[in-house]
Amino acid sequence: MQKFKYNTSDRRKVTTLRLLEMKESNEKIACLTAYDAITARIFDESGIDLILVGDSLGNVIQGLDTTIPVTLDQVIYHTKAVQNGVKRAMVVSDMPFMTYQISVEDAFYNAGRLMKEAGAEAVKLEGGDYIADKVRVMTEAGIPVMGHLGLTPQSIHKFGSYRTRGTSEEEANKIFNDAICLEQSGAFCVVLEKIPYQLAKKISSTLRIPTIGIGAGPYCDGQVLVYSDMLGLTTEFNPRFVRRYAHLHEVISEATSRYLEDIKNQEFPNLNESY
Ligand code: KIV
């Protein structure tokens, strides 16, 4: 029965310190996104270490093409829901576009709202050296910060595509230096999205803090996927880095068709399902 379960007997709460220990002992960190309590509870009970309330909720929950319109209040709402389902995993919330770019004060205040109102245990920001001052202030005040480098979806209109980042020497050097800058500014972890695995390997072996990869190869200290991709709820988004561990789109479609048919044929509910 427990065949596919990683040994989850270690029920210690996951913290920034625990993540560092995991990197030091070469235990890979498993991360998934979640946006509601029921899904977060399943992931938590299965032993997932980190749950990210990503601004990908714009795509997954709201059906948007980009993450740009997502608001802080929406992330707060979904983070509260996720926290209600979680006991062990560390819950990290994304700071949406324009909630941390304007000024240090603004970023600091909004990160504080995610911690105080939503129960986030850390916040994630996209960007490198240009957010260093914000990372420093937050970290010093007790707000753990996860960085996010490589493909940064909030900058989609600047780059014009979701292509792999860090393929030129100049871009690779910038990502590498940004990673060092984030660590020096106090970040406890860095997400590396869609960069060559050689670059991710170099960053992961240079930094003391863990790296979490998505489309960044096997040498990162952990991995993250958007849960609806991992579970096959999506079918049309097929980048190379997504591995589908289930085909829930098919399962749900099939169950819905049977339900519909039973209602139309007056086979649901029967008298045993009635009062
Ligand atoms: O918003 C999100 O879900 C993310 C992950 C893909 C890293 O940023």
Side-chain angles (χ1 to χ4, degrees):
M1 269 256 301
Q2 297 285 307
K3 192 167 150 215
F4 297 112
K5 283 215 166 175
Y6 181 70
N7 176 11
T8 53
S9 56
D10 184 354
R11 296 306 296 169
R12 278 181 299 165
K13 173 81 188 137
V14 179
T15 61
T16 52
L17 182 64
R18 178 87 190 95
L19 295 174
L20 266 180
E21 286 170 3
M22 287 168 82
K23 171 157 181 149
E24 278 158 18
S25 63
N26 203 23
E27 178 183 342
K28 297 285 183 183
I29 298 162
C31 178
L32 277 172
T33 67
Y35 319 100
D36 63 77
I38 199 164
T39 315
R41 180 171 293 123
I42 297 171
F43 295 161
D44 189 52
E45 288 172 356
S46 303
I48 288 293
D49 302 304
L50 266 178
I51 295 185
L52 173 67
V53 186
D55 59 0
S56 52
L57 70 87
N59 311 106
V60 179
I61 304 291
Q62 300 174 351
L64 300 171
D65 286 337
T66 76
T67 58
I68 306 247
V70 173
T71 68
L72 190 68
D73 285 332
Q74 289 164 352
V75 177
I76 288 175
Y77 174 89
H78 287 281
T79 302
K80 277 187 193 168
V82 164
Q83 266 299 12
N84 288 339
V86 167
K87 289 199 173 84
R88 173 183 170 272
M90 180 169 180
V91 175
V92 182
S93 296
D94 245 336
M95 295 199 70
F97 183 58
M98 292 312 287
T99 65
Y100 59 94
Q101 285 90 343
I102 295 168
S103 66
V104 172
E105 288 74 17
D106 200 42
F108 191 27
Y109 177 77
N110 288 331
R113 281 194 65 199
L114 283 168
M115 304 278 288
K116 279 181 79 90
E117 292 178 38
E121 291 155 63
V123 297
K124 177 166 82 58
L125 281 68
E126 295 182 9
D129 58 357
Y130 93 98
I131 58 159
D133 50 351
K134 288 140 189 165
V135 176
R136 199 165 291 117
V137 168
M138 288 179 199
T139 308
E140 278 173 14
I143 301 175
V145 179
M146 176 185 270
H148 185 157
L149 297 171
L151 195 163
T152 46
Q154 292 176 12
S155 305
I156 177 60
H157 294 312
K158 175 178 151 191
F159 291 105
S161 93
Y162 290 108
R163 69 164 174 81
T164 311
R165 304 290 194 266
T167 48
S168 70
E169 197 182 333
E170 191 189 347
E171 209 174 46
N173 287 341
K174 167 93 178 102
I175 293 170
F176 181 76
N177 291 332
D178 277 344
I180 291 178
C181 176
L182 286 173
E183 173 167 291
Q184 287 173 348
S185 305
F188 74 96
C189 188
V190 184
V191 167
L192 300 174
E193 180 162 356
K194 215 172 175 193
I195 61 171
Y197 72 85
Q198 298 90 337
L199 176 59
K201 184 178 185 186
K202 184 174 156 196
I203 295 171
S204 304
S205 61
T206 305
L207 297 191
R208 198 179 60 90
I209 59 172
T211 58
I212 308 290
I214 173 163
Y219 303 109
C220 294
D221 303 302
Q223 298 293 328
V224 59
L225 282 177
V226 170
Y227 93 88
S228 46
D229 298 331
M230 186 280 280
L231 290 178
L233 279 166
T234 51
T235 53
E236 275 155 29
F237 180 62
N238 284 307
R240 185 192 301 187
F241 64 80
V242 169
R243 188 182 293 180
R244 300 204 194 282
Y245 286 85
H247 298 279
L248 289 196
H249 185 279
E250 274 169 46
V251 172
I252 294 172
S253 295
E254 211 261 326
T256 309
S257 298
R258 285 198 288 119
Y259 173 67
L260 184 133
E261 215 166 272
D262 283 356
I263 292 173
K264 299 289 182 188
N265 295 335
Q266 301 183 34
E267 284 169 8
F268 176 79
N270 61 29
L271 289 182
N272 290 333
E273 290 159 332
S274 308
Y275 295 95

